[in-house]
Amino acid sequence: MEAEQIREGVKNIQQGDKAASKGLFRKPDWDLAASYYDRAATCFKIAKSYDQAVQAYAKSSEALFKSDAIHLAGKATENAAFILAQNLNQPQRAAEAYQKASNFFMTQGSIDRAAEQLEKAGRALENVDVNASFDMYSKACTLYEQEDRGRFAMEIYKKGISLLVRNKKYDKAIEMLKRETQVLQKLSSRTHLYKANLSILVLVLAIGDDVEAGKQFSSMCGEEAEIAEDLLRAYDQRDQELLERTVRVQHMTFLDNEIVKLARLLTVPGEVLSQKHSNYHRTEAEIELYGNKISNNENSNTVEEEDEDEGLR
């Protein structure tokens, strides 16, 4: 079965090459060539000959581009990227293909699809190149920001911020959060804005910048401001117990998981986590278990926030 599909795929490639060639009295038929290449890619996928499938999609994309079918060229390249990421486990090649697909969609004027490809590129690179992964997420957000459609970038902001916090790149995480707050201000989404501001404060405290922490406090409102005040008081008074109580109040659990984990590891200058709390962080498995509990808390809080989140829809 697989051998038969491969033979059929090779046959389609040959027919596609013939259609794409220039003869003495004929021009290349790029539409016909693309259809043959696409059939070949399907045959190779069925046969699980994934390298050949990627090559066939690349040929199809090139033929579609030359026939001015830009959107379809982008889809063919996206198909190749998916195989590279999921079947061949080649994240860097996959990211390159996703970026190429993004460029096709940008040329065609589809901003959403272009940003989606960059997000996929970022996801593919998370475990191999943190900086490149974040760069993809950042560029995806930029596409939406430039079109004044930042509300569609909310999930991408979160992915980029979580990636940075997980890898202790707190300065960049703060920059990303500040970009997010600018969008949230335009949307008048107070609940999410207050969470973002509190998240920034946690990161500033993790860096150890007391001056910037004081400045950040001036932008706080509501219960988040009370929490921020207790955090700053704990640092000012070197009160580790107050800090550990504060990072465990309910409103803190509504922040993104990576921020909550980081907050629970904060210590005032000259102190360490108390024994009962440091035991909680002994293993990554325990931290992940807590992260799942946080997700459940966030889900239970959704109804409470719906009225204030209309601007995000």
Side-chain angles (χ1 to χ4, degrees):
M1 175 65 178
E2 290 182 359
E4 181 182 344
Q5 288 294 331
I6 289 176
R7 284 194 296 270
E8 184 66 22
V10 171
K11 180 180 177 181
N12 277 288
I13 289 289
Q14 292 171 344
Q15 290 175 316
D17 289 344
K18 182 177 179 180
S21 63
K22 183 178 180 181
L24 186 60
F25 299 106
R26 63 181 174 82
K27 295 180 180 180
D29 189 336
W30 295 114
D31 288 327
L32 181 60
S35 68
Y36 279 126
Y37 293 143
D38 191 66
R39 289 178 209 166
T42 301
C43 291
F44 292 138
K45 280 197 300 182
I46 293 173
K48 298 182 180 179
S49 181
Y50 296 120
D51 276 317
Q52 287 179 294
V54 169
Q55 294 170 20
Y57 276 128
K59 282 178 167 286
S60 177
S61 176
E62 182 181 1
L64 288 164
F65 177 76
K66 289 181 178 179
S67 66
D68 291 327
I70 308 300
H71 186 83
L72 294 177
K75 290 183 67 174
T77 304
E78 181 183 9
N79 289 337
F82 180 85
I83 293 173
L84 287 165
Q86 299 298 320
N87 301 112
L88 294 175
N89 193 27
Q90 297 181 21
Q92 290 177 318
R93 285 185 65 197
E96 290 173 3
Y98 279 129
Q99 289 179 73
K100 187 175 181 180
S102 176
N103 290 335
F104 280 132
F105 290 126
M106 275 291 293
T107 300
Q108 192 262 341
S110 180
I111 301 300
D112 289 357
R113 295 284 278 132
E116 179 186 350
Q117 302 310 302
L118 292 176
E119 179 185 358
K120 289 179 178 179
R123 192 185 315 147
L125 291 168
E126 277 198 9
N127 295 323
V128 294
D129 191 333
V130 173
N131 291 328
S133 174
F134 171 68
D135 188 49
M136 292 298 100
Y137 286 139
S138 180
K139 287 179 177 178
C141 291
T142 298
L143 289 182
Y144 285 121
E145 291 167 353
Q146 290 174 341
E147 297 293 317
D148 199 23
R149 301 172 65 227
R151 66 186 181 278
F152 295 106
M154 290 296 113
E155 287 303 314
I156 307 177
Y157 284 127
K158 289 181 180 180
K159 289 180 181 179
I161 292 163
S162 293
L163 174 70
L164 293 169
V165 175
R166 213 161 43 238
N167 289 277
K168 296 181 172 56
K169 296 181 180 293
Y170 302 142
D171 288 324
K172 284 189 175 182
I174 290 171
E175 292 175 8
M176 193 66 158
L177 273 162
K178 288 182 177 179
R179 286 172 61 182
E180 184 184 15
T181 60
Q182 292 176 356
V183 174
L184 293 170
Q185 286 172 347
K186 292 180 181 178
L187 298 174
S188 300
S189 179
R190 291 173 297 171
T191 299
H192 286 82
L193 178 60
Y194 298 160
K195 287 181 182 180
N197 284 330
L198 187 55
S199 297
I200 292 173
L201 180 61
V202 170
L203 288 167
V204 170
L205 292 174
I207 292 172
D209 190 338
D210 294 342
V211 175
E212 186 61 31
K215 293 179 181 178
Q216 183 62 27
F217 175 67
S218 65
S219 64
M220 311 294 285
C221 296
E223 188 156 350
E224 281 76 10
E226 297 176 13
I227 296 172
E229 186 175 8
D230 285 340
L231 289 173
L232 293 176
R233 184 184 301 114
Y235 269 77
D236 184 57
Q237 298 176 0
R238 303 297 191 263
D239 189 337
Q240 183 64 27
E241 289 190 6
L242 173 59
L243 175 61
E244 292 175 2
R245 287 198 307 272
T246 303
V247 298
R248 281 169 172 75
V249 299
Q250 187 181 35
H251 262 63
M252 287 292 291
T253 67
F254 299 150
L255 304 182
D256 287 343
N257 289 357
E258 295 299 332
I259 298 293
V260 176
K261 294 175 193 176
L262 176 62
R264 293 193 168 217
L265 293 172
L266 291 176
T267 58
V268 300
E271 295 290 337
V272 297
L273 285 176
S274 62
Q275 184 63 35
K276 66 177 181 179
H277 291 134
S278 62
N279 286 341
Y280 185 84
H281 295 280
R282 284 179 302 179
T283 68
E284 285 295 324
E286 290 173 317
I287 291 175
E288 283 303 317
L289 176 62
Y290 178 71
N292 292 333
K293 290 180 180 178
I294 292 171
S295 297
N296 292 333
N297 283 339
E298 287 177 334
N299 291 335
S300 67
N301 194 51
T302 301
V303 175
E304 176 186 332
E305 297 178 355
E306 280 184 350
D307 291 340
E308 293 184 355
D309 294 343
E310 287 298 324
L312 290 174
R313 300 189 179 124

